[in-house]
Amino acid sequence: MTSDDPGFATARKYLTKKAAGTWKPEQSITVLATAPNRKQADRNADPDKEGRVYPLAGRKIATVDARHAYEPISPADYLWSIHVVQQPTANGKGKEWRIDSLPPGLVLGEADFLRNYRSVNKYYFASGEDWVVADPVYIRQRQDPVTRMDPVTQTVKALLDGPTNWLKQAVDSSFPSRTTLKAGVTSLATDDQSTLKVPLHFEGRQVDGVACRRMAAQLLFTLRDLPSVRVEQVELLGEAGSLCRLGKGQAAEFAAVPETDLDEKPYFVDDEGRLRKLMVAGKETASPVVVPGPLGKGTVRLGSIAVDRGETRAAGVDEAGRRLFVSSITTEQASQPPVVESGGVRPEDRLSAPSWGGRGDLWVADRNPAQRKLWMVPGGTGKRVEVRTPWLGTTGSSCCGSPPTASGSPW
């Protein structure tokens, strides 16, 4: 299930003809903490009449649906089974084992999942607005075994498929319904001008110039973080030729937050739990710079951090995940009390990585099973506010999990 065989051909050789015809590896992914454990089959069963059942066990931590949406869950026991039967060999002179019942989709340990898939943000327009918002999904890092598409083409297809279920009520896509890539397209690459030409098939009427620009903007924002391609502009192609072309500078008008002249600096937490900054000039990177304030001095050993858009303040959760601190990173100041604390027993049940919102507010989740809460700190310095919505319950909620990323924050 981790191979790149076209159509998972090798995996299907282990299945009966019927099972091979009904197994759809593209429909879902079940992510376990580790690879599933196979338990001993019932040896009392008659293998000729009943076959054998091999239970599979593990700890389920997330699922990925057919639209590539990753949904973390509170770790729970996973138990499924594989049923095997004996069938005649091709020459009819013997018998061999084949799987005739198996779990749906793919079942992967977290390490295999992270090795084979990467997080990508698709972009759609906020409903009734002229700015785009991100819709995170997971795309296979190499050629997809089912569609045979490279990562760039997979990403474009995922965008055309529409927003994921959790976001679709709040966003619009400028692509007409049932828009697809031109039949047979499995690879997309830029030309020597860093232009990506995307051939599309529309059902019904063609799009006008305004809609085409918005479609191109969605593509530019979606493709900008892919490491395998550098796209400076996109050109949309219809049945009769070019529809429109849009460059990165033109797409900036659709950004949720206007671009600034600020050159963003990479920030990180060093081995001693201190906040550091890298100064980058062209292709040259200087040694890490000490960040002013208590977060840079190591007064508290940090586990995760987030820097605000203006790069004037930082929020940091301590190494134990218990306390959230906010400090200036441009001037020296005394240590301040934590703005949020968690009483979770285990590190994974305490504070998530912090995040700064587009309006300059600070967000963090307390994953304590006894008292799960989502907190917002207005401006990063105001009195914390508990965020309440019907689906952020305190029992059995998966609101406070996060996809398996390095920190869950912008840096």
Side-chain angles (χ1 to χ4, degrees), residues 337-359:
V339 295
V340 177
E341 295 186 69
S342 173
V345 177
R346 303 179 304 170
E348 59 266 31
D349 293 334
R350 298 169 189 162
L351 297 180
S352 69
S355 177
W356 293 94
R359 298 180 179 181

mmCIF file of all heavy atoms in Angstrom, residues 337-359:
data_model
loop_
_atom_site.group_PDB
_atom_site.id
_atom_site.type_symbol
_atom_site.label_atom_id
_atom_site.label_comp_id
_atom_site.label_asym_id
_atom_site.label_seq_id
_atom_site.Cartn_x
_atom_site.Cartn_y
_atom_site.Cartn_z
ATOM 1 N N PRO A 337 3.535 37.022 32.919
ATOM 2 C CA PRO A 337 2.840 35.782 33.304
ATOM 3 C C PRO A 337 2.242 35.110 32.066
ATOM 4 O O PRO A 337 1.961 35.765 31.065
ATOM 5 C CB PRO A 337 1.736 36.280 34.248
ATOM 6 C CG PRO A 337 2.170 37.639 34.681
ATOM 7 C CD PRO A 337 2.953 38.206 33.557
ATOM 8 N N PRO A 338 2.030 33.815 32.128
ATOM 9 C CA PRO A 338 1.412 33.127 30.984
ATOM 10 C C PRO A 338 -0.007 33.623 30.748
ATOM 11 O O PRO A 338 -0.726 33.942 31.702
ATOM 12 C CB PRO A 338 1.448 31.654 31.395
ATOM 13 C CG PRO A 338 1.556 31.659 32.887
ATOM 14 C CD PRO A 338 2.345 32.885 33.236
ATOM 15 N N VAL A 339 -0.408 33.671 29.479
ATOM 16 C CA VAL A 339 -1.766 34.126 29.153
ATOM 17 C C VAL A 339 -2.758 32.970 29.158
ATOM 18 O O VAL A 339 -3.965 33.183 29.302
ATOM 19 C CB VAL A 339 -1.788 34.849 27.787
ATOM 20 C CG1 VAL A 339 -0.976 36.122 27.840
ATOM 21 C CG2 VAL A 339 -1.282 33.943 26.675
ATOM 22 N N VAL A 340 -2.268 31.752 28.992
ATOM 23 C CA VAL A 340 -3.114 30.558 29.057
ATOM 24 C C VAL A 340 -2.301 29.439 29.700
ATOM 25 O O VAL A 340 -1.100 29.316 29.442
ATOM 26 C CB VAL A 340 -3.592 30.104 27.655
ATOM 27 C CG1 VAL A 340 -4.408 28.812 27.762
ATOM 28 C CG2 VAL A 340 -4.431 31.186 26.978
ATOM 29 N N GLU A 341 -2.944 28.624 30.539
ATOM 30 C CA GLU A 341 -2.297 27.464 31.134
ATOM 31 C C GLU A 341 -3.197 26.242 30.974
ATOM 32 O O GLU A 341 -4.417 26.362 30.925
ATOM 33 C CB GLU A 341 -1.999 27.698 32.618
ATOM 34 C CG GLU A 341 -0.983 28.797 32.873
ATOM 35 C CD GLU A 341 -0.607 28.906 34.335
ATOM 36 O OE1 GLU A 341 0.058 27.976 34.848
ATOM 37 O OE2 GLU A 341 -0.992 29.900 34.970
ATOM 38 N N SER A 342 -2.565 25.069 30.890
ATOM 39 C CA SER A 342 -3.304 23.820 30.757
ATOM 40 C C SER A 342 -2.986 22.891 31.914
ATOM 41 O O SER A 342 -1.854 22.836 32.394
ATOM 42 C CB SER A 342 -2.952 23.128 29.433
ATOM 43 O OG SER A 342 -3.529 21.835 29.367
ATOM 44 N N GLY A 343 -4.009 22.136 32.325
ATOM 45 C CA GLY A 343 -3.810 21.167 33.403
ATOM 46 C C GLY A 343 -3.779 19.737 32.902
ATOM 47 O O GLY A 343 -3.925 18.805 33.690
ATOM 48 N N GLY A 344 -3.606 19.543 31.588
ATOM 49 C CA GLY A 344 -3.563 18.202 31.034
ATOM 50 C C GLY A 344 -2.467 17.351 31.656
ATOM 51 O O GLY A 344 -1.371 17.840 31.952
ATOM 52 N N VAL A 345 -2.759 16.071 31.838
ATOM 53 C CA VAL A 345 -1.793 15.179 32.486
ATOM 54 C C VAL A 345 -0.644 14.839 31.545
ATOM 55 O O VAL A 345 0.526 14.907 31.930
ATOM 56 C CB VAL A 345 -2.499 13.887 32.961
ATOM 57 C CG1 VAL A 345 -1.479 12.917 33.565
ATOM 58 C CG2 VAL A 345 -3.589 14.219 33.976
ATOM 59 N N ARG A 346 -0.965 14.488 30.301
ATOM 60 C CA ARG A 346 0.067 14.107 29.332
ATOM 61 C C ARG A 346 0.394 15.290 28.426
ATOM 62 O O ARG A 346 -0.461 16.147 28.195
ATOM 63 C CB ARG A 346 -0.409 12.928 28.487
ATOM 64 C CG ARG A 346 -0.792 11.697 29.282
ATOM 65 C CD ARG A 346 -1.281 10.591 28.353
ATOM 66 N NE ARG A 346 -2.401 11.036 27.522
ATOM 67 C CZ ARG A 346 -2.890 10.343 26.502
ATOM 68 N NH1 ARG A 346 -2.349 9.176 26.191
ATOM 69 N NH2 ARG A 346 -3.908 10.815 25.803
ATOM 70 N N PRO A 347 1.631 15.358 27.903
ATOM 71 C CA PRO A 347 1.988 16.469 27.010
ATOM 72 C C PRO A 347 1.022 16.625 25.840
ATOM 73 O O PRO A 347 0.675 17.747 25.466
ATOM 74 C CB PRO A 347 3.398 16.096 26.530
ATOM 75 C CG PRO A 347 3.953 15.251 27.630
ATOM 76 C CD PRO A 347 2.786 14.483 28.177
ATOM 77 N N GLU A 348 0.577 15.505 25.266
ATOM 78 C CA GLU A 348 -0.332 15.584 24.115
ATOM 79 C C GLU A 348 -1.732 16.042 24.510
ATOM 80 O O GLU A 348 -2.566 16.327 23.636
ATOM 81 C CB GLU A 348 -0.405 14.238 23.389
ATOM 82 C CG GLU A 348 -0.888 13.085 24.239
ATOM 83 C CD GLU A 348 0.258 12.297 24.865
ATOM 84 O OE1 GLU A 348 1.300 12.904 25.150
ATOM 85 O OE2 GLU A 348 0.094 11.080 25.052
ATOM 86 N N ASP A 349 -2.011 16.125 25.811
ATOM 87 C CA ASP A 349 -3.304 16.587 26.289
ATOM 88 C C ASP A 349 -3.250 18.038 26.762
ATOM 89 O O ASP A 349 -4.196 18.527 27.393
ATOM 90 C CB ASP A 349 -3.806 15.706 27.433
ATOM 91 C CG ASP A 349 -4.127 14.295 26.993
ATOM 92 O OD1 ASP A 349 -4.431 14.122 25.801
ATOM 93 O OD2 ASP A 349 -4.063 13.380 27.832
ATOM 94 N N ARG A 350 -2.160 18.718 26.453
ATOM 95 C CA ARG A 350 -2.016 20.100 26.915
ATOM 96 C C ARG A 350 -2.200 21.072 25.750
ATOM 97 O O ARG A 350 -2.996 20.827 24.862
ATOM 98 C CB ARG A 350 -0.661 20.263 27.607
ATOM 99 C CG ARG A 350 -0.539 19.368 28.852
ATOM 100 C CD ARG A 350 0.875 19.313 29.377
ATOM 101 N NE ARG A 350 1.006 18.287 30.431
ATOM 102 C CZ ARG A 350 2.166 17.783 30.832
ATOM 103 N NH1 ARG A 350 3.300 18.190 30.279
ATOM 104 N NH2 ARG A 350 2.181 16.859 31.774
ATOM 105 N N LEU A 351 -1.467 22.160 25.720
ATOM 106 C CA LEU A 351 -1.681 23.217 24.729
ATOM 107 C C LEU A 351 -1.151 22.831 23.354
ATOM 108 O O LEU A 351 -0.092 22.221 23.222
ATOM 109 C CB LEU A 351 -1.012 24.511 25.186
ATOM 110 C CG LEU A 351 -1.540 25.123 26.488
ATOM 111 C CD1 LEU A 351 -0.780 26.394 26.818
ATOM 112 C CD2 LEU A 351 -3.040 25.403 26.402
ATOM 113 N N SER A 352 -1.913 23.208 22.326
ATOM 114 C CA SER A 352 -1.456 23.030 20.953
ATOM 115 C C SER A 352 -0.425 24.108 20.623
ATOM 116 O O SER A 352 -0.156 24.996 21.437
ATOM 117 C CB SER A 352 -2.649 23.149 19.994
ATOM 118 O OG SER A 352 -3.113 24.500 19.967
ATOM 119 N N ALA A 353 0.143 24.037 19.432
ATOM 120 C CA ALA A 353 0.999 25.123 18.965
ATOM 121 C C ALA A 353 0.142 26.370 18.789
ATOM 122 O O ALA A 353 -1.011 26.283 18.381
ATOM 123 C CB ALA A 353 1.665 24.742 17.645
ATOM 124 N N PRO A 354 0.668 27.553 19.104
ATOM 125 C CA PRO A 354 -0.122 28.782 18.960
ATOM 126 C C PRO A 354 -0.203 29.220 17.504
ATOM 127 O O PRO A 354 0.547 28.742 16.650
ATOM 128 C CB PRO A 354 0.665 29.791 19.794
ATOM 129 C CG PRO A 354 2.089 29.318 19.689
ATOM 130 C CD PRO A 354 2.008 27.806 19.633
ATOM 131 N N SER A 355 -1.117 30.143 17.223
ATOM 132 C CA SER A 355 -1.276 30.655 15.867
ATOM 133 C C SER A 355 -1.836 32.074 15.926
ATOM 134 O O SER A 355 -2.731 32.359 16.728
ATOM 135 C CB SER A 355 -2.219 29.753 15.065
ATOM 136 O OG SER A 355 -2.438 30.275 13.776
ATOM 137 N N TRP A 356 -1.288 32.955 15.077
ATOM 138 C CA TRP A 356 -1.803 34.327 14.968
ATOM 139 C C TRP A 356 -2.820 34.393 13.841
ATOM 140 O O TRP A 356 -2.558 33.957 12.729
ATOM 141 C CB TRP A 356 -0.664 35.312 14.686
ATOM 142 C CG TRP A 356 0.295 35.463 15.823
ATOM 143 C CD1 TRP A 356 1.462 34.781 16.004
ATOM 144 C CD2 TRP A 356 0.170 36.357 16.930
ATOM 145 N NE1 TRP A 356 2.070 35.173 17.163
ATOM 146 C CE2 TRP A 356 1.303 36.160 17.760
ATOM 147 C CE3 TRP A 356 -0.775 37.301 17.311
ATOM 148 C CZ2 TRP A 356 1.502 36.860 18.928
ATOM 149 C CZ3 TRP A 356 -0.577 38.014 18.486
ATOM 150 C CH2 TRP A 356 0.550 37.798 19.282
ATOM 151 N N GLY A 357 -3.984 34.941 14.107
ATOM 152 C CA GLY A 357 -5.006 35.095 13.083
ATOM 153 C C GLY A 357 -4.731 36.290 12.190
ATOM 154 O O GLY A 357 -3.864 37.129 12.477
ATOM 155 N N GLY A 358 -5.493 36.395 11.093
ATOM 156 C CA GLY A 358 -5.308 37.487 10.144
ATOM 157 C C GLY A 358 -5.591 38.860 10.728
ATOM 158 O O GLY A 358 -5.129 39.871 10.204
ATOM 159 N N ARG A 359 -6.354 38.921 11.817
ATOM 160 C CA ARG A 359 -6.664 40.205 12.458
ATOM 161 C C ARG A 359 -5.747 40.514 13.634
ATOM 162 O O ARG A 359 -6.016 41.430 14.413
ATOM 163 C CB ARG A 359 -8.121 40.210 12.918
ATOM 164 C CG ARG A 359 -9.106 40.059 11.764
ATOM 165 C CD ARG A 359 -10.537 40.078 12.261
ATOM 166 N NE ARG A 359 -11.479 39.955 11.158
ATOM 167 C CZ ARG A 359 -12.804 39.964 11.289
ATOM 168 N NH1 ARG A 359 -13.324 40.078 12.501
ATOM 169 N NH2 ARG A 359 -13.589 39.846 10.239
#
